Amino acid sequence: MTQFKLIGFDLDGTLVNSLPDLALSVNSAFAEFDLPQAPADLVLTWIGNGADILIARALEWAKTETGKSLNDQQIQALKRRFGFYYGENLCNLSVLYPNVKATLETLKQQGYLLAVVTNKPTQHVQPVLQAFGIDHLFSELLGGQSLPAIKPHPAPLYYLCGKFGLYPKQMLFVGDSRNDILAAHAAGCAVVGLTYGYNYNIPIAESKPDWVFDDFAQILTILK
């Protein structure tokens, strides 16, 4: 075993390619408010800071496209409709990234504690993992409403260290966006940056993670 006892993972863009279902849900909600349909590659750039920020970015784009803006009451209604549609479409089109399930199973068998730390709405975290048959591998699931602060704040990582009685140096974090790298750096944890996820079309290497990997299975190479 290495110095690491616990490995934390982001969810969207790290374990699961959820972009197709997120884009479908945004556009389904937008259609109810006569707002334009956004291409998936644009929705990709809105992901990473939770549902409220995703919708805010989407509305800003829609206003630029059409000049139309919603009042506060309409925005709250739109958020509810997005939540409804995403609840209906959690895993219709989403897929696990290559080698995720086998790698997680290997890590669990090797005795590592595994946790998910995501800004995704908390209510959707466990159902997504369950749909792919990997929820049982994790000892903790933290979503956007689990704690008072979300990534890039280090609070979720501090929470994991406290819960499991670990020093930050004993935790490795794995993510795909600068929010993941910033949170890990702030908490004093080592961090892997994955190149295939959702990082606002900016190379993850620019955030200076400790390792940059193209394949999820490469995590195993630093744990030997």
Side-chain angles (χ1 to χ4, degrees):
M1 295 281 281
T2 66
Q3 72 189 53
F4 302 117
K5 305 298 183 186
L6 184 148
I7 309 172
F9 300 91
D10 177 51
L11 181 52
D12 295 327
T14 297
L15 303 179
V16 177
N17 181 5
S18 54
L19 175 61
D21 285 320
L22 286 167
L24 173 63
S25 302
V26 169
N27 285 324
S28 296
F30 266 30
E32 293 189 10
F33 291 82
D34 296 320
L35 295 172
Q37 299 291 284
D41 60 351
L42 183 61
V43 177
L44 183 152
T45 67
W46 302 335
I47 297 171
N49 297 91
D52 285 349
I53 300 298
L54 186 156
I55 294 300
R57 290 169 175 157
L59 287 171
E60 184 178 346
W61 168 79
K63 184 177 180 179
T64 301
E65 291 289 303
T66 66
K68 180 177 179 180
S69 59
L70 305 183
N71 61 39
D72 289 346
Q73 187 174 0
Q74 290 172 317
I75 292 172
Q76 293 307 312
L78 175 67
K79 289 179 180 178
R80 288 193 294 271
R81 295 307 291 163
F82 167 75
F84 167 78
Y85 282 116
Y86 190 54
E88 294 291 303
N89 297 298
L90 279 175
C91 295
N92 284 358
L93 303 172
S94 298
V95 294
L96 286 179
Y97 285 106
N99 300 318
V100 164
K101 188 170 186 177
T103 301
L104 291 173
E105 289 173 341
T106 297
L107 293 171
K108 187 72 171 179
Q109 290 165 3
Q110 291 177 348
Y112 292 99
L113 291 166
L114 306 181
V116 168
V117 180
T118 173
N119 293 346
K120 178 192 284 294
T122 302
Q123 70 192 63
H124 295 146
V125 177
Q126 197 272 340
V128 168
L129 298 172
Q130 184 176 24
F132 291 111
I134 59 174
D135 57 312
H136 65 287
L137 299 173
F138 297 100
S139 299
E140 181 63 272
L141 305 176
L142 298 178
Q145 290 73 46
S146 298
L147 298 169
I150 62 173
K151 300 174 298 182
H153 198 288
L157 305 188
Y158 287 143
Y159 173 86
L160 290 176
C161 290
K163 176 171 181 175
F164 295 104
L166 301 174
Y167 294 109
K169 67 181 181 181
Q170 295 176 296
M171 179 176 173
L172 174 68
F173 197 67
V174 181
D176 66 295
S177 86
R178 67 171 180 252
N179 290 327
D180 301 313
I181 312 306
L182 288 169
H185 283 166
C189 301
V191 61
V192 170
L194 297 167
T195 61
Y196 54 69
Y198 314 142
N199 190 39
Y200 320 107
N201 291 326
I202 300 168
I204 193 64
E206 292 186 13
S207 296
K208 296 186 167 44
D210 298 283
W211 297 272
V212 177
F213 293 150
D214 302 318
D215 185 328
F216 192 84
Q218 288 176 274
I219 299 164
L220 296 173
T221 66
I222 60 176
L223 297 172
K224 290 180 179 178

